[in-house]
Amino acid sequence: MIALALLLFILPALTARAEAPSAPAIRIATFGSDLTRSGPGLLLRDILSGKDAQVAAVVAAIGATGADILLLTGIDHDHGLVALSALAERISAAGIEYPYLFALRPNRGMATGLDLDGDGRAGGPDDAQGFGRFSGARGMALLSRYPILGAEARDFSDFLWRDLPGARGPDPMRPEVAAVQRLATTGFWEVPVRLPDGQRLRLLGFHAGPPAFGRGRRNLDRNHDETAFWAALLDARLPLAPPEPPFVLLGNANLDPFDGDGRHEAIRALLAHRALQDPAPRSAGGPAASAAQGGVNATHRGDPALDTADHRDTPPGPGNLRVTYVLPSSDLTVRAAGVLWPPPA
């Protein structure tokens, strides 16, 4: 289970009216929905059936946040956004209208024709640009109450891993892999949204692969570098123009600042970046779950109130972690922040 990380903020032009009751605020959230199935078309089937318990739970959770802009990760992608449109209709029936939708084909399931994972066979799910059993598996999607300026979007999903300064991979002894291996497991997006006052807010979306699983250090190194990509972009250390503020970096880094697997220094550096601010959204349910579940949670260094994911608690864990983030640019004024993880009561 991954909880919704929710942020409310106001844009710089509105800060003078921050204390006024009528001052508008923008609610933005990210949610690891896990709306994925074993093959193409199956998610659409389950959404349309009206009987799938997981789909109903996702719709209810989204309805509870009232987010104006929502980034979903872990949702299967299809041509024409048919499944996403069907999901938006279900959400509309729950009381929230998202007339604007955006999604691009993810790297997950995108065939390379190579044996990327080194198991001696090509064509497996871990031989795709990002792990996926079919093209479009576990992609990302934006849902918005405000116009999404898709024609102005920048897609960095084809950025090669080897081109990241200080990259930890891919294997330099396999030049044929280095020539094609993309860094993003799912995708790297910059998508502008036009707000009611005419300002543009740029959304920087991503969903990194997990640092565990796989062969050798490949996933560990890739997860680190997917997070490090954003710091390099903000620092103008890439052959890509940095995003113009205001912007919000959001999604699933699959990396906790202190606990679980992974190279924690990458996310700690991003959270401390001068171009960003960390509102540290909290919940009451996180600490309650950590205390009730025990196990490896008792060994964690991080504050359980910041957790956004409920993983296995028995050793080796990793237990509950903070892996999803909503990080506004430093020029934005944060009004409130939180994680939708209700306590047991």
Side-chain angles (χ1 to χ4, degrees):
M1 180 270 269
I2 296 183
L4 277 84
L6 176 68
L7 173 75
L8 288 79
F9 66 86
I10 52 178
L11 294 176
L14 304 174
T15 54
R17 293 186 288 137
E19 301 306 321
S22 60
I26 307 300
R27 293 173 177 254
I28 185 166
T30 187
F31 186 18
S33 67
D34 203 33
L35 286 173
T36 186
R37 298 296 184 264
S38 59
L42 299 182
L43 176 60
L44 176 62
R45 175 203 65 187
D46 290 348
I47 294 172
L48 294 177
S49 74
K51 300 177 181 179
D52 188 273
Q54 184 206 21
V55 172
V58 167
V59 170
I62 292 172
T65 70
D68 299 305
I69 300 170
L70 173 66
L71 175 70
L72 290 180
T73 59
I75 179 172
D76 290 343
H77 175 84
D78 57 38
H79 183 71
L81 310 187
V82 180
L84 180 61
S85 298
L87 179 65
E89 291 182 8
R90 289 283 303 272
I91 298 170
S92 174
I96 299 183
E97 297 288 342
Y98 289 121
Y100 303 101
L101 308 175
F102 180 89
L104 298 172
R105 180 188 178 188
N107 285 342
R108 289 181 180 270
M110 185 182 293
T112 64
L114 299 175
D115 175 19
L116 295 185
D117 61 1
D119 66 355
R121 301 184 301 274
D126 212 15
D127 297 318
Q129 288 289 0
F131 184 94
R133 301 187 186 283
F134 60 93
S135 179
R138 296 184 65 82
M140 303 188 296
L142 277 169
L143 301 89
S144 176
R145 289 176 171 172
Y146 309 122
I148 296 174
L149 307 179
E152 299 179 19
R154 294 198 295 168
D155 183 14
F156 310 127
S157 303
D158 61 354
F159 183 87
L160 294 181
W161 190 356
R162 69 179 183 186
D163 293 337
L164 180 74
R168 297 172 180 264
D171 186 351
M173 302 301 292
R174 304 182 65 197
E176 74 282 4
V177 172
V180 303
Q181 177 67 81
R182 298 179 175 190
L183 174 57
T185 296
T186 309
F188 294 145
W189 299 349
E190 179 191 304
V191 186
V193 171
R194 186 171 68 244
L195 300 179
D197 64 355
Q199 292 191 81
R200 279 169 166 74
L201 175 69
R202 289 171 170 79
L203 306 172
L204 311 179
F206 77 116
H207 182 189
F213 314 114
R215 298 167 62 90
R217 294 172 34 185
R218 178 169 174 256
N219 286 2
L220 181 70
D221 291 340
R222 189 178 188 183
N223 173 269
H224 172 281
D225 287 355
E226 287 188 80
T227 302
F229 168 86
W230 294 106
L233 179 66
L234 296 174
D235 289 339
R237 291 186 285 115
L238 301 178
L240 305 165
E244 296 182 14
F247 55 79
V248 178
L249 174 61
L250 74 167
N252 189 343
N254 255 316
L255 187 60
D256 183 282
F258 302 102
D259 303 309
D261 296 310
R263 302 187 183 279
H264 309 292
E265 66 274 11
I267 191 64
R268 289 201 295 262
L270 192 62
L271 293 174
H273 196 283
R274 64 185 182 281
L276 298 169
Q277 53 182 312
D278 177 16
R282 306 170 67 85
S283 75
S290 179
Q293 294 164 355
V296 296
N297 293 309
T299 69
H300 282 182
R301 298 169 52 206
D303 183 351
L306 301 176
D307 287 344
T308 62
D310 187 349
H311 295 304
R312 187 177 67 179
D313 308 298
T314 56
N320 303 343
L321 302 172
R322 183 186 186 192
V323 295
T324 49
Y325 299 89
V326 180
L327 305 175
S329 53
S330 56
D331 59 323
L332 291 170
T333 299
V334 176
R335 183 174 286 180
V339 175
L340 182 65
W341 191 333

